[in-house]
Amino acid sequence: LGGIDMLDTLNAILLAAEQGVRYEDYSICLKVFLILMVVAAVAIIVVIMMQKGTNDNVGVITGASKYGSIVDLYNKKVNREVEHVENDAMLWGHVFEDGVAQIFAHKTGLEVIQSSRGDWQFIRQEEPWMACSPDRTYWLKDASHNARDWKSKGLLECKTTTQDPEAEGNEWMLQCWYAQVQWQLLVSEMSEAHLCCCVMGFNRKTIIRHWPANPEFQAKLYEICKDFWFNNVQAKAAPAPRTEEDVRKVFPESVSG
């Protein structure tokens, strides 16, 4: 459809020239149209990258997360059909992001950037397989509020859970989120981030962590994710199964025991 619209616009310019209408007026319209076409193309690329890139699957790739399967993630990236079920925990986590962001702002005094709401992504131009989708951004303390200056901003990861990440046996939760946030900082090239986690239930509490960029840790993340992307996804070679369920997915003819 875009090609048809462009042809119509070009025809209008030619018709205008025949009728003696000033070419400059239509030239401006064409430039505006081409800009809109570029914006639309970028939007399409973002949608593709949401399916293709590493995005925020670092917890699954590294094995830090107890939720999610490395085999399911691989199948999704190579466009194999994988059943996606959005449970209540996932839905609530997305819906409650605004509330968590407000609590973070109230407790820290940092200003959350309202325009950072919604679904959006950072994509590394030189390495487009590297992508992330932060929950929010905020202005660093005493930083100039220059929207184009990413060094004046930090990343905010919003979490809601009924499990206490600080309780014994739940250490993996903070470890998983730390990996996720460090990946976001690596992709975005920002200097710091905060985690704000609201623990729901009778023993409700708010956990806030300040995590500066950790280049040494990020370098390890980069190698792990790069290996998964190129040696598994791009090579169409399934990763080694990690659980019994993964084994059944990779080797459907296998049986328990």
PDB file of all heavy atoms in Angstrom, residues 215-245:
ATOM      1  N   PRO A 215      30.361  -3.061  33.884  1.00  0.00           N
ATOM      2  CA  PRO A 215      30.954  -3.462  32.599  1.00  0.00           C
ATOM      3  C   PRO A 215      31.484  -4.898  32.589  1.00  0.00           C
ATOM      4  O   PRO A 215      31.352  -5.594  31.569  1.00  0.00           O
ATOM      5  CB  PRO A 215      32.088  -2.447  32.409  1.00  0.00           C
ATOM      6  CG  PRO A 215      31.662  -1.254  33.206  1.00  0.00           C
ATOM      7  CD  PRO A 215      30.951  -1.818  34.394  1.00  0.00           C
ATOM      8  N   GLU A 216      32.081  -5.343  33.675  1.00  0.00           N
ATOM      9  CA  GLU A 216      32.629  -6.703  33.713  1.00  0.00           C
ATOM     10  C   GLU A 216      31.507  -7.740  33.602  1.00  0.00           C
ATOM     11  O   GLU A 216      31.603  -8.707  32.840  1.00  0.00           O
ATOM     12  CB  GLU A 216      33.418  -6.916  35.005  1.00  0.00           C
ATOM     13  CG  GLU A 216      34.096  -8.277  35.090  1.00  0.00           C
ATOM     14  CD  GLU A 216      34.922  -8.440  36.344  1.00  0.00           C
ATOM     15  OE1 GLU A 216      35.047  -7.462  37.112  1.00  0.00           O
ATOM     16  OE2 GLU A 216      35.449  -9.553  36.564  1.00  0.00           O
ATOM     17  N   PHE A 217      30.442  -7.537  34.345  1.00  0.00           N
ATOM     18  CA  PHE A 217      29.298  -8.441  34.292  1.00  0.00           C
ATOM     19  C   PHE A 217      28.635  -8.366  32.915  1.00  0.00           C
ATOM     20  O   PHE A 217      28.226  -9.383  32.349  1.00  0.00           O
ATOM     21  CB  PHE A 217      28.297  -8.071  35.386  1.00  0.00           C
ATOM     22  CG  PHE A 217      27.128  -9.003  35.507  1.00  0.00           C
ATOM     23  CD1 PHE A 217      27.224 -10.180  36.228  1.00  0.00           C
ATOM     24  CD2 PHE A 217      25.919  -8.701  34.890  1.00  0.00           C
ATOM     25  CE1 PHE A 217      26.146 -11.043  36.329  1.00  0.00           C
ATOM     26  CE2 PHE A 217      24.838  -9.552  34.989  1.00  0.00           C
ATOM     27  CZ  PHE A 217      24.950 -10.721  35.723  1.00  0.00           C
ATOM     28  N   GLN A 218      28.519  -7.153  32.374  1.00  0.00           N
ATOM     29  CA  GLN A 218      27.899  -6.964  31.068  1.00  0.00           C
ATOM     30  C   GLN A 218      28.679  -7.692  29.969  1.00  0.00           C
ATOM     31  O   GLN A 218      28.082  -8.229  29.028  1.00  0.00           O
ATOM     32  CB  GLN A 218      27.803  -5.477  30.742  1.00  0.00           C
ATOM     33  CG  GLN A 218      26.792  -4.723  31.587  1.00  0.00           C
ATOM     34  CD  GLN A 218      26.825  -3.231  31.327  1.00  0.00           C
ATOM     35  OE1 GLN A 218      27.718  -2.713  30.659  1.00  0.00           O
ATOM     36  NE2 GLN A 218      25.845  -2.511  31.876  1.00  0.00           N
ATOM     37  N   ALA A 219      29.999  -7.707  30.083  1.00  0.00           N
ATOM     38  CA  ALA A 219      30.819  -8.393  29.083  1.00  0.00           C
ATOM     39  C   ALA A 219      30.501  -9.887  29.062  1.00  0.00           C
ATOM     40  O   ALA A 219      30.442 -10.510  27.994  1.00  0.00           O
ATOM     41  CB  ALA A 219      32.303  -8.167  29.374  1.00  0.00           C
ATOM     42  N   LYS A 220      30.271 -10.465  30.234  1.00  0.00           N
ATOM     43  CA  LYS A 220      29.915 -11.888  30.314  1.00  0.00           C
ATOM     44  C   LYS A 220      28.517 -12.121  29.726  1.00  0.00           C
ATOM     45  O   LYS A 220      28.291 -13.095  29.009  1.00  0.00           O
ATOM     46  CB  LYS A 220      29.969 -12.354  31.767  1.00  0.00           C
ATOM     47  CG  LYS A 220      31.372 -12.305  32.374  1.00  0.00           C
ATOM     48  CD  LYS A 220      31.365 -12.710  33.837  1.00  0.00           C
ATOM     49  CE  LYS A 220      32.763 -12.628  34.426  1.00  0.00           C
ATOM     50  NZ  LYS A 220      32.776 -12.976  35.876  1.00  0.00           N
ATOM     51  N   LEU A 221      27.594 -11.215  30.048  1.00  0.00           N
ATOM     52  CA  LEU A 221      26.241 -11.315  29.490  1.00  0.00           C
ATOM     53  C   LEU A 221      26.282 -11.260  27.966  1.00  0.00           C
ATOM     54  O   LEU A 221      25.582 -12.023  27.286  1.00  0.00           O
ATOM     55  CB  LEU A 221      25.363 -10.168  30.001  1.00  0.00           C
ATOM     56  CG  LEU A 221      24.662 -10.303  31.343  1.00  0.00           C
ATOM     57  CD1 LEU A 221      23.805  -9.073  31.587  1.00  0.00           C
ATOM     58  CD2 LEU A 221      23.821 -11.555  31.403  1.00  0.00           C
ATOM     59  N   TYR A 222      27.078 -10.350  27.465  1.00  0.00           N
ATOM     60  CA  TYR A 222      27.186 -10.165  26.019  1.00  0.00           C
ATOM     61  C   TYR A 222      27.621 -11.461  25.343  1.00  0.00           C
ATOM     62  O   TYR A 222      27.036 -11.878  24.337  1.00  0.00           O
ATOM     63  CB  TYR A 222      28.180  -9.047  25.720  1.00  0.00           C
ATOM     64  CG  TYR A 222      28.474  -8.862  24.249  1.00  0.00           C
ATOM     65  CD1 TYR A 222      27.634  -8.102  23.441  1.00  0.00           C
ATOM     66  CD2 TYR A 222      29.600  -9.445  23.670  1.00  0.00           C
ATOM     67  CE1 TYR A 222      27.901  -7.930  22.088  1.00  0.00           C
ATOM     68  CE2 TYR A 222      29.874  -9.279  22.322  1.00  0.00           C
ATOM     69  CZ  TYR A 222      29.029  -8.527  21.541  1.00  0.00           C
ATOM     70  OH  TYR A 222      29.294  -8.371  20.196  1.00  0.00           O
ATOM     71  N   GLU A 223      28.624 -12.125  25.888  1.00  0.00           N
ATOM     72  CA  GLU A 223      29.134 -13.352  25.283  1.00  0.00           C
ATOM     73  C   GLU A 223      28.099 -14.476  25.351  1.00  0.00           C
ATOM     74  O   GLU A 223      27.930 -15.241  24.394  1.00  0.00           O
ATOM     75  CB  GLU A 223      30.433 -13.776  25.973  1.00  0.00           C
ATOM     76  CG  GLU A 223      31.602 -12.829  25.717  1.00  0.00           C
ATOM     77  CD  GLU A 223      31.920 -12.660  24.238  1.00  0.00           C
ATOM     78  OE1 GLU A 223      31.758 -13.634  23.464  1.00  0.00           O
ATOM     79  OE2 GLU A 223      32.320 -11.549  23.839  1.00  0.00           O
ATOM     80  N   ILE A 224      27.390 -14.579  26.471  1.00  0.00           N
ATOM     81  CA  ILE A 224      26.369 -15.624  26.621  1.00  0.00           C
ATOM     82  C   ILE A 224      25.231 -15.414  25.628  1.00  0.00           C
ATOM     83  O   ILE A 224      24.785 -16.345  24.944  1.00  0.00           O
ATOM     84  CB  ILE A 224      25.821 -15.638  28.069  1.00  0.00           C
ATOM     85  CG1 ILE A 224      26.912 -16.092  29.042  1.00  0.00           C
ATOM     86  CG2 ILE A 224      24.602 -16.547  28.182  1.00  0.00           C
ATOM     87  CD1 ILE A 224      26.527 -15.946  30.508  1.00  0.00           C
ATOM     88  N   CYS A 225      24.748 -14.171  25.532  1.00  0.00           N
ATOM     89  CA  CYS A 225      23.627 -13.872  24.630  1.00  0.00           C
ATOM     90  C   CYS A 225      24.054 -13.960  23.168  1.00  0.00           C
ATOM     91  O   CYS A 225      23.280 -14.422  22.320  1.00  0.00           O
ATOM     92  CB  CYS A 225      23.063 -12.490  24.939  1.00  0.00           C
ATOM     93  SG  CYS A 225      22.260 -12.377  26.549  1.00  0.00           S
ATOM     94  N   LYS A 226      25.260 -13.525  22.879  1.00  0.00           N
ATOM     95  CA  LYS A 226      25.772 -13.617  21.513  1.00  0.00           C
ATOM     96  C   LYS A 226      25.884 -15.080  21.084  1.00  0.00           C
ATOM     97  O   LYS A 226      25.536 -15.442  19.953  1.00  0.00           O
ATOM     98  CB  LYS A 226      27.134 -12.932  21.421  1.00  0.00           C
ATOM     99  CG  LYS A 226      27.724 -12.913  20.022  1.00  0.00           C
ATOM    100  CD  LYS A 226      29.064 -12.176  20.005  1.00  0.00           C
ATOM    101  CE  LYS A 226      29.654 -12.161  18.609  1.00  0.00           C
ATOM    102  NZ  LYS A 226      30.972 -11.450  18.588  1.00  0.00           N
ATOM    103  N   ASP A 227      26.344 -15.924  21.990  1.00  0.00           N
ATOM    104  CA  ASP A 227      26.461 -17.352  21.691  1.00  0.00           C
ATOM    105  C   ASP A 227      25.087 -17.952  21.402  1.00  0.00           C
ATOM    106  O   ASP A 227      24.922 -18.720  20.444  1.00  0.00           O
ATOM    107  CB  ASP A 227      27.110 -18.075  22.879  1.00  0.00           C
ATOM    108  CG  ASP A 227      27.219 -19.574  22.649  1.00  0.00           C
ATOM    109  OD1 ASP A 227      28.047 -19.997  21.830  1.00  0.00           O
ATOM    110  OD2 ASP A 227      26.459 -20.329  23.297  1.00  0.00           O
ATOM    111  N   PHE A 228      24.099 -17.595  22.217  1.00  0.00           N
ATOM    112  CA  PHE A 228      22.740 -18.108  22.002  1.00  0.00           C
ATOM    113  C   PHE A 228      22.198 -17.637  20.662  1.00  0.00           C
ATOM    114  O   PHE A 228      21.592 -18.415  19.908  1.00  0.00           O
ATOM    115  CB  PHE A 228      21.821 -17.653  23.134  1.00  0.00           C
ATOM    116  CG  PHE A 228      20.357 -17.952  22.900  1.00  0.00           C
ATOM    117  CD1 PHE A 228      19.874 -19.245  23.001  1.00  0.00           C
ATOM    118  CD2 PHE A 228      19.471 -16.935  22.562  1.00  0.00           C
ATOM    119  CE1 PHE A 228      18.530 -19.527  22.770  1.00  0.00           C
ATOM    120  CE2 PHE A 228      18.130 -17.202  22.332  1.00  0.00           C
ATOM    121  CZ  PHE A 228      17.664 -18.504  22.441  1.00  0.00           C
ATOM    122  N   TRP A 229      22.412 -16.354  20.340  1.00  0.00           N
ATOM    123  CA  TRP A 229      21.829 -15.793  19.120  1.00  0.00           C
ATOM    124  C   TRP A 229      22.449 -16.394  17.862  1.00  0.00           C
ATOM    125  O   TRP A 229      21.742 -16.802  16.949  1.00  0.00           O
ATOM    126  CB  TRP A 229      21.981 -14.275  19.123  1.00  0.00           C
ATOM    127  CG  TRP A 229      21.381 -13.643  17.913  1.00  0.00           C
ATOM    128  CD1 TRP A 229      22.044 -13.032  16.890  1.00  0.00           C
ATOM    129  CD2 TRP A 229      19.997 -13.584  17.568  1.00  0.00           C
ATOM    130  NE1 TRP A 229      21.168 -12.584  15.939  1.00  0.00           N
ATOM    131  CE2 TRP A 229      19.895 -12.918  16.327  1.00  0.00           C
ATOM    132  CE3 TRP A 229      18.839 -14.031  18.190  1.00  0.00           C
ATOM    133  CZ2 TRP A 229      18.679 -12.681  15.700  1.00  0.00           C
ATOM    134  CZ3 TRP A 229      17.624 -13.800  17.562  1.00  0.00           C
ATOM    135  CH2 TRP A 229      17.551 -13.136  16.339  1.00  0.00           C
ATOM    136  N   PHE A 230      23.770 -16.446  17.831  1.00  0.00           N
ATOM    137  CA  PHE A 230      24.441 -16.883  16.601  1.00  0.00           C
ATOM    138  C   PHE A 230      24.618 -18.398  16.514  1.00  0.00           C
ATOM    139  O   PHE A 230      24.473 -18.982  15.436  1.00  0.00           O
ATOM    140  CB  PHE A 230      25.788 -16.176  16.455  1.00  0.00           C
ATOM    141  CG  PHE A 230      25.659 -14.725  16.104  1.00  0.00           C
ATOM    142  CD1 PHE A 230      25.819 -13.742  17.064  1.00  0.00           C
ATOM    143  CD2 PHE A 230      25.341 -14.334  14.812  1.00  0.00           C
ATOM    144  CE1 PHE A 230      25.679 -12.400  16.751  1.00  0.00           C
ATOM    145  CE2 PHE A 230      25.188 -12.992  14.477  1.00  0.00           C
ATOM    146  CZ  PHE A 230      25.364 -12.023  15.449  1.00  0.00           C
ATOM    147  N   ASN A 231      24.936 -19.040  17.634  1.00  0.00           N
ATOM    148  CA  ASN A 231      25.210 -20.484  17.588  1.00  0.00           C
ATOM    149  C   ASN A 231      23.973 -21.353  17.795  1.00  0.00           C
ATOM    150  O   ASN A 231      24.027 -22.564  17.556  1.00  0.00           O
ATOM    151  CB  ASN A 231      26.277 -20.851  18.620  1.00  0.00           C
ATOM    152  CG  ASN A 231      27.622 -20.232  18.295  1.00  0.00           C
ATOM    153  OD1 ASN A 231      27.953 -20.034  17.127  1.00  0.00           O
ATOM    154  ND2 ASN A 231      28.386 -19.906  19.320  1.00  0.00           N
ATOM    155  N   ASN A 232      22.891 -20.732  18.226  1.00  0.00           N
ATOM    156  CA  ASN A 232      21.635 -21.475  18.361  1.00  0.00           C
ATOM    157  C   ASN A 232      20.592 -20.961  17.365  1.00  0.00           C
ATOM    158  O   ASN A 232      20.207 -21.665  16.439  1.00  0.00           O
ATOM    159  CB  ASN A 232      21.095 -21.380  19.792  1.00  0.00           C
ATOM    160  CG  ASN A 232      21.984 -22.069  20.799  1.00  0.00           C
ATOM    161  OD1 ASN A 232      22.389 -21.474  21.791  1.00  0.00           O
ATOM    162  ND2 ASN A 232      22.325 -23.336  20.564  1.00  0.00           N
ATOM    163  N   VAL A 233      20.158 -19.715  17.565  1.00  0.00           N
ATOM    164  CA  VAL A 233      19.067 -19.174  16.742  1.00  0.00           C
ATOM    165  C   VAL A 233      19.459 -19.078  15.272  1.00  0.00           C
ATOM    166  O   VAL A 233      18.780 -19.630  14.400  1.00  0.00           O
ATOM    167  CB  VAL A 233      18.620 -17.800  17.278  1.00  0.00           C
ATOM    168  CG1 VAL A 233      17.539 -17.214  16.376  1.00  0.00           C
ATOM    169  CG2 VAL A 233      18.110 -17.918  18.709  1.00  0.00           C
ATOM    170  N   GLN A 234      20.553 -18.377  14.987  1.00  0.00           N
ATOM    171  CA  GLN A 234      20.956 -18.191  13.601  1.00  0.00           C
ATOM    172  C   GLN A 234      21.405 -19.501  12.951  1.00  0.00           C
ATOM    173  O   GLN A 234      21.183 -19.725  11.762  1.00  0.00           O
ATOM    174  CB  GLN A 234      22.083 -17.157  13.511  1.00  0.00           C
ATOM    175  CG  GLN A 234      21.648 -15.751  13.884  1.00  0.00           C
ATOM    176  CD  GLN A 234      20.611 -15.187  12.919  1.00  0.00           C
ATOM    177  OE1 GLN A 234      20.870 -15.082  11.726  1.00  0.00           O
ATOM    178  NE2 GLN A 234      19.443 -14.832  13.419  1.00  0.00           N
ATOM    179  N   ALA A 235      22.018 -20.374  13.743  1.00  0.00           N
ATOM    180  CA  ALA A 235      22.501 -21.651  13.208  1.00  0.00           C
ATOM    181  C   ALA A 235      21.410 -22.710  13.168  1.00  0.00           C
ATOM    182  O   ALA A 235      21.641 -23.825  12.678  1.00  0.00           O
ATOM    183  CB  ALA A 235      23.671 -22.156  14.049  1.00  0.00           C
ATOM    184  N   LYS A 236      20.215 -22.368  13.679  1.00  0.00           N
ATOM    185  CA  LYS A 236      19.097 -23.324  13.744  1.00  0.00           C
ATOM    186  C   LYS A 236      19.500 -24.604  14.481  1.00  0.00           C
ATOM    187  O   LYS A 236      19.165 -25.712  14.085  1.00  0.00           O
ATOM    188  CB  LYS A 236      18.609 -23.676  12.328  1.00  0.00           C
ATOM    189  CG  LYS A 236      18.054 -22.497  11.546  1.00  0.00           C
ATOM    190  CD  LYS A 236      16.762 -21.984  12.142  1.00  0.00           C
ATOM    191  CE  LYS A 236      16.060 -20.984  11.227  1.00  0.00           C
ATOM    192  NZ  LYS A 236      16.811 -19.763  10.987  1.00  0.00           N
ATOM    193  N   ALA A 237      20.237 -24.395  15.578  1.00  0.00           N
ATOM    194  CA  ALA A 237      20.696 -25.524  16.400  1.00  0.00           C
ATOM    195  C   ALA A 237      20.126 -25.353  17.800  1.00  0.00           C
ATOM    196  O   ALA A 237      20.448 -24.386  18.494  1.00  0.00           O
ATOM    197  CB  ALA A 237      22.217 -25.578  16.447  1.00  0.00           C
ATOM    198  N   ALA A 238      19.262 -26.257  18.201  1.00  0.00           N
ATOM    199  CA  ALA A 238      18.596 -26.151  19.500  1.00  0.00           C
ATOM    200  C   ALA A 238      19.616 -26.153  20.641  1.00  0.00           C
ATOM    201  O   ALA A 238      20.598 -26.897  20.599  1.00  0.00           O
ATOM    202  CB  ALA A 238      17.610 -27.292  19.681  1.00  0.00           C
ATOM    203  N   PRO A 239      19.411 -25.308  21.656  1.00  0.00           N
ATOM    204  CA  PRO A 239      20.320 -25.301  22.808  1.00  0.00           C
ATOM    205  C   PRO A 239      20.165 -26.572  23.626  1.00  0.00           C
ATOM    206  O   PRO A 239      19.157 -27.273  23.525  1.00  0.00           O
ATOM    207  CB  PRO A 239      19.865 -24.073  23.599  1.00  0.00           C
ATOM    208  CG  PRO A 239      18.419 -23.909  23.231  1.00  0.00           C
ATOM    209  CD  PRO A 239      18.317 -24.340  21.800  1.00  0.00           C
ATOM    210  N   ALA A 240      21.165 -26.861  24.423  1.00  0.00           N
ATOM    211  CA  ALA A 240      21.110 -28.048  25.269  1.00  0.00           C
ATOM    212  C   ALA A 240      19.957 -27.920  26.255  1.00  0.00           C
ATOM    213  O   ALA A 240      19.795 -26.878  26.896  1.00  0.00           O
ATOM    214  CB  ALA A 240      22.423 -28.219  26.013  1.00  0.00           C
ATOM    215  N   PRO A 241      19.110 -28.945  26.370  1.00  0.00           N
ATOM    216  CA  PRO A 241      17.982 -28.885  27.307  1.00  0.00           C
ATOM    217  C   PRO A 241      18.475 -28.806  28.750  1.00  0.00           C
ATOM    218  O   PRO A 241      19.496 -29.395  29.095  1.00  0.00           O
ATOM    219  CB  PRO A 241      17.229 -30.190  27.030  1.00  0.00           C
ATOM    220  CG  PRO A 241      18.221 -31.099  26.394  1.00  0.00           C
ATOM    221  CD  PRO A 241      19.157 -30.221  25.639  1.00  0.00           C
ATOM    222  N   ARG A 242      17.724 -28.079  29.570  1.00  0.00           N
ATOM    223  CA  ARG A 242      18.118 -27.884  30.967  1.00  0.00           C
ATOM    224  C   ARG A 242      17.192 -28.589  31.948  1.00  0.00           C
ATOM    225  O   ARG A 242      17.543 -28.794  33.095  1.00  0.00           O
ATOM    226  CB  ARG A 242      18.149 -26.386  31.294  1.00  0.00           C
ATOM    227  CG  ARG A 242      19.185 -25.600  30.498  1.00  0.00           C
ATOM    228  CD  ARG A 242      19.036 -24.110  30.743  1.00  0.00           C
ATOM    229  NE  ARG A 242      20.031 -23.334  30.010  1.00  0.00           N
ATOM    230  CZ  ARG A 242      19.991 -22.013  29.884  1.00  0.00           C
ATOM    231  NH1 ARG A 242      19.000 -21.333  30.447  1.00  0.00           N
ATOM    232  NH2 ARG A 242      20.923 -21.374  29.209  1.00  0.00           N
ATOM    233  N   THR A 243      15.981 -28.890  31.488  1.00  0.00           N
ATOM    234  CA  THR A 243      15.008 -29.532  32.367  1.00  0.00           C
ATOM    235  C   THR A 243      14.421 -30.754  31.670  1.00  0.00           C
ATOM    236  O   THR A 243      14.609 -30.960  30.473  1.00  0.00           O
ATOM    237  CB  THR A 243      13.861 -28.555  32.707  1.00  0.00           C
ATOM    238  OG1 THR A 243      13.137 -28.248  31.499  1.00  0.00           O
ATOM    239  CG2 THR A 243      14.396 -27.265  33.316  1.00  0.00           C
ATOM    240  N   GLU A 244      13.677 -31.543  32.440  1.00  0.00           N
ATOM    241  CA  GLU A 244      13.015 -32.715  31.861  1.00  0.00           C
ATOM    242  C   GLU A 244      12.019 -32.295  30.787  1.00  0.00           C
ATOM    243  O   GLU A 244      11.901 -32.953  29.750  1.00  0.00           O
ATOM    244  CB  GLU A 244      12.300 -33.503  32.966  1.00  0.00           C
ATOM    245  CG  GLU A 244      11.621 -34.774  32.469  1.00  0.00           C
ATOM    246  CD  GLU A 244      10.949 -35.548  33.581  1.00  0.00           C
ATOM    247  OE1 GLU A 244      11.300 -35.327  34.764  1.00  0.00           O
ATOM    248  OE2 GLU A 244      10.056 -36.359  33.276  1.00  0.00           O
ATOM    249  N   GLU A 245      11.347 -31.178  31.021  1.00  0.00           N
ATOM    250  CA  GLU A 245      10.392 -30.676  30.026  1.00  0.00           C
ATOM    251  C   GLU A 245      11.117 -30.268  28.741  1.00  0.00           C
ATOM    252  O   GLU A 245      10.628 -30.511  27.635  1.00  0.00           O
ATOM    253  CB  GLU A 245       9.620 -29.489  30.598  1.00  0.00           C
ATOM    254  CG  GLU A 245       8.544 -28.922  29.676  1.00  0.00           C
ATOM    255  CD  GLU A 245       7.432 -29.921  29.381  1.00  0.00           C
ATOM    256  OE1 GLU A 245       7.210 -30.823  30.203  1.00  0.00           O
ATOM    257  OE2 GLU A 245       6.800 -29.786  28.307  1.00  0.00           O
TER     258      GLU A 245
END
